[in-house]
Amino acid sequence: MKMILRIEKILAVFAASAFLFAGCASLGRKSNTEYKLVILHTNDHHGSVTGRPDKDGIGHGGLAERATFVKQIRSENENVLVLDAGDINTGMAVSNMFKAEPDIKAYNVIGYDAVTFGNHEFDGTLAKLKGQMSLSKFTWLSANIMENGKYLGKPYIIKKYKGFTVGIFGLTTLRTKVIASPDKSLSFSDEIQTAKDMVSFLRNKKKVDVLIELGHLGDIEETPDQNTSIKLAQQVSGIDLIIDGHSHSYFTEPKVVNGTPIVTANEWGKYMGDGVMTITGGKVTGFTWKPVEITDKAFPPDADVAALLKPYIDKANASLKQVVMTTTDEFPFGKKLTRYQEMASGDILADATVAYLKKTGVNVDFAFHNGGNIRTNLPKGSVTKEQIITMLPFENYVYVLTLKGSDVKKLFDFIGSVNQGAGGFAQVSKEVKYTVTYDAKGENGSISDVTIGGKPVDEGRTYRIATNDYLANGGDGYVALKNSIDTYNTSMLMNDIFIDYVSTLPQPVAPATDGRITIVGGHLPE
């Protein structure tokens, strides 16, 4: 009898404790107690498993280094929320090779609470994405993506802390339908209307104290109809914080729009956003934020995450010795080739760009790259990944731009004016043919007989053009590209695309050109 009474007393104590715990949030709303919530966030990770060294050898980014920072913050603070605003996929070879498995496992160890679907989560098949989701201990969020009438991930999560609750809902840019290849079973709803619905639901039905939108929308307008995080803040009230991704922007402080702070953390894990929110009486009464630079000097790699990643990195490094093509002869290199005339490796690079995009469901009219990007030859016989990366050493990403026909004419006029010998000399895909006529010094050129897909440039239509990020941003004088009315960063490296393409060609591959560029006059260096 005494034992039964004792058990009943214990159960009563537990019940009372549970009641008190459940009431903590509501009690916090009624009191003037001040609570703190630390919000750490990343975006546009893009397979950045390891840090990228600068000229002094200091590594910037890296998952093991990020883990050290997060662990440090957790040791110093009671309430910590860790979020990512999308695009975990598509980047370094070690991540691509293992379908982001090392990245996701590291996110699990770091202790991410939620990640929003970015457009690059849809670069592969839906089966691939679902495999990644099943591997994840964190929640994948998006309130505006449905699969056959059901949410692909979760529309929101609610985190309960002593004294307050936090609702986090996700949004994914509608541009995903254009710049990626989402499965046909998926449907995307308008970001602004979805946000309004989620704010109403989480505020009025779920009674959350703090509301965060974790969005892969971007703060830079790529097309006039794009719903950016800026437009979202302008049109939707009731959000305490917008954490953004997609544009790879670097902020030194929040952008405050319509009273809502917007933050983002650049790219590749080089920075982690560090925000501190103050909650008093169930309301946000303060917010401070800064970007924290993640380097191996400031945050030595976490041993557990480093050990997790090592087998993947070792396998990836070994794969650099893998032969991906054989050649009948050397693919020659020299400035008199890359910067003076059509060359075999330039043709394949541009053709590879078009082929890769087509494979991912993005059709372009043509591709071109600057000859200065090609830095070595490819040998006769066996060619390894390492040799291709040596030939294309820059971490240039492929961009897709949309230009009016009038701007395409300006583009080709500029291509014709690029001096022989300059790094900006264009290497183009097989869809393009043109003639450049130079003076005797090769310094003043004019272009003629331009055709795209066998037809002259039509000023009355638009063209989709693939190039690299350096040129897309006006590098080598290509300012006409900055008139793009729709810009898309594929986040795929040129050298990875080249490797993917040449490995599918009938072997051995013969170095050859097909006359897509005709040079009249000028001179070749001795």
Side-chain angles (χ1 to χ4, degrees), residues 125-139:
T125 64
L126 185 56
K128 171 189 169 184
L129 176 55
K130 287 192 172 182
Q132 293 175 333
M133 292 169 68
S134 66
L135 190 65
S136 306
K137 293 181 180 178
F138 50 85
T139 304

Side-chain angles (χ1 to χ4, degrees), residues 368 370 414 423-424 468-482:
F368 83 103
N370 48 322
F414 180 76
N468 58 71
D469 56 343
Y470 172 67
L471 297 187
N473 291 316
D476 279 340
Y478 281 91
V479 293
L481 296 177
K482 299 182 79 172

Side-chain angles (χ1 to χ4, degrees), residues 366 368 403 406-416 447 465 478 480-481:
F366 68 95
F368 83 103
L403 292 181
S406 55
D407 287 319
V408 172
K409 280 200 167 186
K410 292 177 184 176
L411 170 64
F412 277 98
D413 285 341
F414 180 76
I415 286 174
I447 202 158
I465 302 161
Y478 281 91
L481 296 177

Side-chain angles (χ1 to χ4, degrees), residues 147-369:
E147 180 192 8
N148 296 322
K150 297 180 180 180
Y151 287 109
L152 175 61
K154 297 288 186 183
Y156 67 89
I157 58 171
I158 294 176
K159 302 289 290 185
K160 295 182 179 181
Y161 299 93
K162 180 182 178 181
F164 62 96
T165 59
V166 181
I168 305 112
F169 70 95
L171 290 174
T172 304
T173 177
L174 285 182
R175 282 182 53 72
T176 301
K177 297 189 296 182
V178 177
I179 60 180
S181 299
D183 193 85
K184 292 180 180 179
S185 66
L186 302 178
S187 59
F188 293 72
S189 56
D190 179 77
E191 306 98 326
I192 300 293
Q193 186 57 53
T194 302
K196 289 178 178 178
D197 293 342
M198 291 305 301
V199 170
S200 176
F201 174 76
L202 290 169
R203 289 288 191 193
N204 299 325
K205 298 290 185 181
K206 294 298 182 180
K207 306 294 185 183
V208 298
D209 300 305
V210 178
L211 188 52
I212 297 172
E213 186 267 322
L214 184 65
H216 195 81
L217 303 181
D219 67 296
I220 297 172
E221 188 176 274
E222 298 167 351
T223 61
D225 61 348
Q226 178 186 354
N227 284 325
T228 62
S229 57
I230 306 296
K231 288 183 182 178
L232 183 78
Q234 289 170 338
Q235 298 183 43
V236 183
S237 299
I239 300 174
D240 293 307
L241 175 65
I242 292 175
I243 298 174
D244 197 26
H246 186 61
S247 292
H248 297 226
S249 297
Y250 171 70
F251 285 12
T252 57
E253 59 185 19
K255 286 184 180 180
V256 180
V257 178
N258 192 26
T260 301
I262 303 170
V263 295
T264 190
N266 194 230
E267 61 187 3
W268 309 340
K270 294 187 297 185
Y271 296 88
M272 196 163 201
D274 181 1
V276 179
M277 192 174 278
T278 304
I279 301 102
T280 311
K283 296 183 182 297
V284 176
T285 53
F287 180 67
T288 61
W289 180 91
K290 64 181 180 294
V292 176
E293 189 172 14
I294 304 299
T295 69
D296 55 10
K297 183 177 181 180
F299 305 104
D302 176 77
D304 292 337
V305 174
L308 183 157
L309 298 175
K310 188 177 185 302
Y312 297 100
I313 295 169
D314 289 346
K315 288 177 183 177
N317 289 339
S319 78
L320 292 175
K321 304 300 181 183
Q322 177 186 345
V323 173
V324 293
M325 71 182 292
T326 56
T327 62
T328 60
D329 206 344
E330 177 190 43
F331 276 69
F333 168 79
K335 287 187 177 180
K336 70 178 183 180
L337 290 169
T338 59
R339 303 176 183 219
Y340 283 82
Q341 57 188 298
E342 178 187 353
M343 64 181 299
S345 52
D347 284 4
I348 289 188
L349 174 60
D351 290 346
T353 305
V354 174
Y356 171 79
L357 290 167
K358 184 176 181 180
K359 187 170 72 172
T360 59
V362 178
N363 292 315
V364 296
D365 292 287
F366 68 95
F368 83 103
H369 297 287

